[in-house]
Amino acid sequence: MDTRKRRRNRLIAAVCLTLLLLIILAICLGIIFRSENGASSSEVLKTTIISRCETYLQNNDPGSSESICNTLWMTFTKAFVGQDPCAVPPEAYNQLFQAINNYPSCNRTLFWSKTKAISHKYTQEKKCLETLEDTLLGNVMDGLTWCGKNNSNEIFTSGCPAWTECTMNPVRSFWDRSSGLIAEQTCGAATVMLNGSIPTPFDPNSTFGRIEAKRLKYPLVSGLTVVLVTQTNVTSCENDSLQNLQRVLDQSLTYSCKVVLQSQILDCISDPHMPCGKCW
Ligand code: DVN
């Protein structure tokens, strides 16, 4: 009996030791894997955001407090970390936008829709107008993806809900909130660059159509100029979707529309002596 008991105890001890060794091996492999593959996605995102923030402030607001970028990161992550990635409403970012709220001065806001590249090339080269992505938060977040998950401190930069998968995802809610705020803060004459090479330059389901156009209110805003960017001169400002835009706008706003060849804008951008007003 004793021999059998001793043999059974030795087997149990061997199994426990094996399990313990496997657990230690798994932890070591995890640490090695992570160190070999560098930082976690959360650390990569934080580094990207903080460095973009610091670069933006160095270029645009050198005297600003050093703590702004950490405040940006902290209030940004509070909006979505630990949350279902399809249950993050635009209001989740309220604290972030209360902390960081720089907007273009009057007469300088440029909206855009399906013209991202040329709009940004224009604002970055000519410095006359500013898009949302030329503000601190828009600049820092442009092109990034992020989400969290229920009851977890993890931050993911892949595998997040797509733009149309669910409307209250962290990325889309950020852009909806920031777009609404820049429109509400717009004053004086506003401009929008629309794409004259597509059938509906004004898409009511776009961010500009759903959110921004509706928030341009007289008398804070005096009017809207549409710059209809075309490759050839076949498009006109009489396009049906532009008639629809005029119906969506506050009827007290002045409205104008101008067809402009993309080549004219690009020539203007590339000529540092050409004043902004000559680009269209
Ligand atoms: O006025 C601008 C600016 O203020 C911005 O905040 O909103 C306006 C531009 O948004 P928009 O009117 O929807 O214009 P677009 O060109 O249809 O979409 C702008 C961006 O939103 C796209 O470039 C996408 O961003 P990305 O991935 O290129 O960095 C994103 N987007 C819009 N619809 C999307 C989408 N991304 C994926 N799937 C979609 N269906």
Side-chain angles (χ1 to χ4, degrees):
M1 188 61 161
D2 280 354
T3 308
R4 280 177 62 193
K5 197 171 179 181
R6 273 200 305 275
R7 194 177 298 151
R8 192 188 61 185
N9 289 348
R10 274 204 299 271
L11 180 61
I12 291 169
V15 168
C16 290
L17 184 61
T18 305
L19 282 175
L20 182 63
L21 287 172
L22 284 172
I23 289 167
I24 292 168
L25 179 64
I27 291 169
C28 292
L29 285 174
I31 292 169
I32 292 167
F33 177 79
R34 183 171 146 173
S35 59
E36 276 180 1
N37 289 274
S40 66
S41 53
S42 171
E43 288 155 342
V44 170
L45 183 67
K46 181 175 183 180
T47 303
T48 302
I49 286 179
I50 296 284
S51 62
R52 282 188 181 186
C53 175
E54 288 171 349
T55 302
Y56 182 95
L57 292 178
Q58 282 158 16
N59 297 334
N60 296 279
D61 190 1
S64 55
S65 157
E66 290 177 6
S67 65
I68 286 183
C69 297
N70 283 319
T71 301
L72 187 157
W73 172 256
M74 295 304 289
T75 50
F76 166 67
T77 50
K78 273 178 76 174
F80 67 94
V81 170
Q83 304 300 320
D84 175 338
C86 275
V88 177
E91 295 71 30
Y93 292 96
N94 279 354
Q95 195 180 346
L96 169 65
F97 287 104
Q98 279 154 16
I100 314 280
N101 47 26
N102 73 314
Y103 298 102
S105 310
C106 289
N107 306 310
R108 287 178 59 87
T109 304
L110 175 64
F111 298 101
W112 54 273
S113 193
K114 310 292 189 293
T115 55
K116 186 174 188 177
I118 193 167
S119 299
H120 290 163
K121 192 171 177 60
Y122 174 78
T123 56
Q124 282 147 24
E125 300 289 333
K126 303 303 275 188
K127 307 291 184 191
C128 302
L129 300 179
E130 293 171 67
T131 65
L132 173 59
E133 294 74 23
D134 295 305
T135 67
L136 173 56
L137 275 175
N139 179 277
V140 165
M141 302 302 169
D142 193 21
L144 300 183
T145 296
W146 62 88
C147 63
K149 74 176 180 181
N150 255 334
N151 307 318
S152 161
N153 286 329
E154 287 183 278
I155 294 176
F156 305 98
T157 55
S158 62
C160 295
W163 186 270
T164 51
E165 188 177 331
C166 53
T167 55
M168 288 213 287
N169 67 68
V171 175
R172 182 168 175 152
S173 287
F174 170 84
W175 290 111
D176 282 1
R177 189 80 181 101
S178 53
S179 299
L181 284 168
I182 192 173
E184 288 161 8
Q185 299 296 322
T186 295
C187 50
T191 309
V192 61
M193 205 175 268
L194 297 179
N195 188 334
S197 300
I198 57 178
T200 53
F202 173 67
D203 173 2
N205 298 314
S206 67
T207 307
F208 176 66
R210 278 184 306 115
I211 294 173
E212 294 167 330
K214 296 172 180 173
R215 285 171 169 77
L216 300 178
K217 296 299 179 193
Y218 184 86
L220 187 61
V221 180
S222 54
L224 179 69
T225 297
V226 171
V227 177
L228 194 59
V229 184
T230 64
Q231 309 285 346
T232 58
N233 247 330
V234 293
T235 311
S236 98
C237 285
E238 303 317 310
N239 177 290
D240 287 349
S241 74
L242 295 175
Q243 306 306 318
N244 186 24
L245 169 55
Q246 292 179 72
R247 286 191 288 271
V248 164
L249 289 173
D250 180 337
Q251 299 305 298
S252 302
L253 295 176
T254 61
Y255 171 88
S256 63
C257 173
K258 191 167 187 184
V259 175
V260 185
L261 284 172
Q262 177 169 289
S263 56
Q264 178 184 331
I265 297 175
L266 293 176
D267 290 346
C268 181
I269 289 170
S270 57
D271 179 350
H273 304 299
M274 184 82 78
C276 298
K278 294 290 184 191
C279 290
W280 49 72

